[in-house]
Amino acid sequence: MAEDFYKTLGVKRNASPEEIQKAYRKLARKYHPDLNQDDDSAKVRFQAVQRAYEVLNDPNKRELYDRYGSSFESMGGGGPQAGAWRTYAPGGGTEDFDFSQLFGERFGQGAAGGFADIFRQFTGGAAPRSAERSHRGTDIQHALQVPFVTAVQGGEARLSVHRANGRQETITVKIPPGVADGNTIRLRGQGEPGPRGGAAGDILVTVRVEPHPYFVRQGQDLELKVPVTLTEAVLGAKVEVPTPKGTITLKIPPGTSSGRRLRVKGHGLPGRRGEVGDLYAVVQIALPARLDPHAVELLQRTDWGSGEAIRADLKW
């Protein structure tokens, strides 16, 4: 007896796409082989759920299934398939007729002595296509955490994949330079194999980038807080700063205030079109925890301007 896909998912025949997706997610979690390693029947049930969802989640396949039942695949693709031949109806026009409805499922499957051989004799060797259409395998969703430096410069990461059959596999994933947190990397053809010889699905890897203790990403730009002494900020200086391309010498102009952003062009992250962002060094004046009496006296004698005048523009 043919399987009832609606019964497999536990939904009514008039169920909405949202209801079908909800039922599928619930059953897929319940019967997933990773959660039922000691239950062989769970694997069979999981595959049945996958198959039912594959058909009912596709509007075209669902329409054919509702119309023809388990033999819907011989009608798929918008035209006659295995055993389905186009005949001319009285009064003009055409209609599709499925010979498998009369002669059984053996028609058109290429078995020796089958009806496909008879029609091959009349069509010069052209036999009807196989009744079993190829279907694409299921995609696998996976999250992968990568270090901040790897996300900026690119590299490789290892991914552990749990297959539907319970097998565990380790895959090497290439991380493109400049990948952002939340981006998806598609590994084509490395998902679940397709039923009946169909193409394999893909692995969709969602990248999660670990935070960096010093660098902050702003689009394709990088921001780095650079501590300088009061003397360096007042008199100016040259300080060494790390960047993705290596250490550079950054010039601190005399009279630099804390919070000033100094742009280092072309030392950010690469974009998809080959453009590169910038690095912004944010100056942070680091004061010593203690000042000797001479330094205190010198600061008191120095005219730094009026603090009240500097803060005059502050308003709520």
Side-chain angles (χ1 to χ4, degrees):
M1 181 177 296
E3 182 180 8
D4 186 337
F5 291 155
Y6 290 99
K7 185 176 180 180
T8 299
L9 294 182
V11 297
K12 297 180 180 180
R13 299 190 70 85
N14 62 349
S16 65
E18 292 75 17
E19 291 174 329
I20 290 175
Q21 293 175 7
K22 182 178 180 181
Y24 165 73
R25 289 193 293 266
K26 179 180 178 181
L27 293 174
R29 287 194 297 266
K30 180 178 180 180
Y31 295 108
H32 197 283
D34 289 348
L35 304 178
N36 300 273
Q37 297 183 3
D38 298 330
D39 187 358
D40 294 336
S41 63
K43 175 183 175 182
V44 177
R45 181 64 174 162
F46 179 78
Q47 293 174 342
V49 169
Q50 293 276 69
R51 170 62 177 153
Y53 177 71
E54 178 187 342
V55 173
L56 299 185
N57 189 53
D58 187 313
N60 295 328
K61 293 180 182 179
R62 182 179 180 182
E63 180 182 358
L64 291 171
Y65 176 74
D66 291 342
R67 183 181 302 177
Y68 301 108
S70 61
S71 61
F72 80 99
E73 288 181 310
S74 63
M75 302 292 185
Q81 301 296 331
W85 291 76
R86 176 152 291 184
T87 61
Y88 290 89
T94 61
E95 62 179 3
D96 294 334
F97 186 78
D98 187 3
F99 283 92
S100 68
Q101 295 178 353
L102 296 179
F103 301 113
E105 296 297 331
R106 290 179 300 172
F107 178 84
Q109 294 186 4
F115 288 98
D117 293 335
I118 299 176
F119 280 92
R120 188 178 292 110
Q121 298 175 14
F122 292 96
T123 58
R129 288 163 54 185
S130 171
E132 297 190 36
R133 299 176 62 208
S134 296
H135 293 279
R136 186 174 177 276
T138 304
D139 292 338
I140 299 177
Q141 303 280 349
H142 212 291
L144 177 64
Q145 193 168 29
V146 299
F148 187 91
V149 175
T150 302
V152 172
Q153 299 179 336
E156 294 183 347
R158 300 178 70 83
L159 181 67
S160 182
V161 178
H162 296 274
R163 300 288 183 180
N165 60 6
R167 185 168 55 92
Q168 185 170 342
E169 183 178 350
T170 300
I171 296 177
T172 299
V173 182
K174 291 185 178 180
I175 309 298
V179 66
D181 184 77
N183 283 173
T184 299
I185 299 175
R186 181 183 294 270
L187 305 179
R188 298 189 181 278
Q190 299 192 47
E192 297 294 348
R196 295 178 296 284
D202 303 332
I203 297 180
L204 304 178
V205 182
T206 301
V207 178
R208 297 301 178 193
V209 180
E210 298 175 355
H212 194 277
Y214 306 114
F215 287 93
V216 176
R217 178 173 181 169
Q218 303 288 348
Q220 288 180 236
D221 296 332
L222 290 175
E223 184 177 282
L224 172 66
K225 294 181 179 180
V226 179
V228 298
T229 65
L230 179 60
T231 302
E232 291 171 331
V234 172
L235 302 179
K238 292 182 179 180
V239 298
E240 291 188 346
V241 175
T243 77
K245 298 181 179 181
T247 301
I248 64 170
T249 300
L250 178 66
K251 183 178 180 180
I252 307 296
T256 296
S257 299
S258 187
R260 181 175 178 179
R261 292 162 58 88
L262 302 178
R263 179 187 179 191
V264 183
K265 188 176 181 180
H267 282 68
L269 285 80
R272 295 182 178 180
R273 300 179 181 178
E275 71 278 15
V276 181
D278 302 325
L279 170 67
Y280 287 89
V282 183
V283 176
Q284 300 288 314
I285 298 178
L287 297 176
R290 292 183 179 181
L291 293 176
D292 60 71
H294 177 70
V296 172
E297 181 182 357
L298 180 62
L299 288 173
Q300 291 173 342
R301 286 167 32 188
T302 302
D303 183 10
W304 296 96
S306 172
E308 295 296 333
I310 296 175
R311 293 184 291 272
D313 292 335
L314 294 180
K315 297 179 182 178
W316 177 251

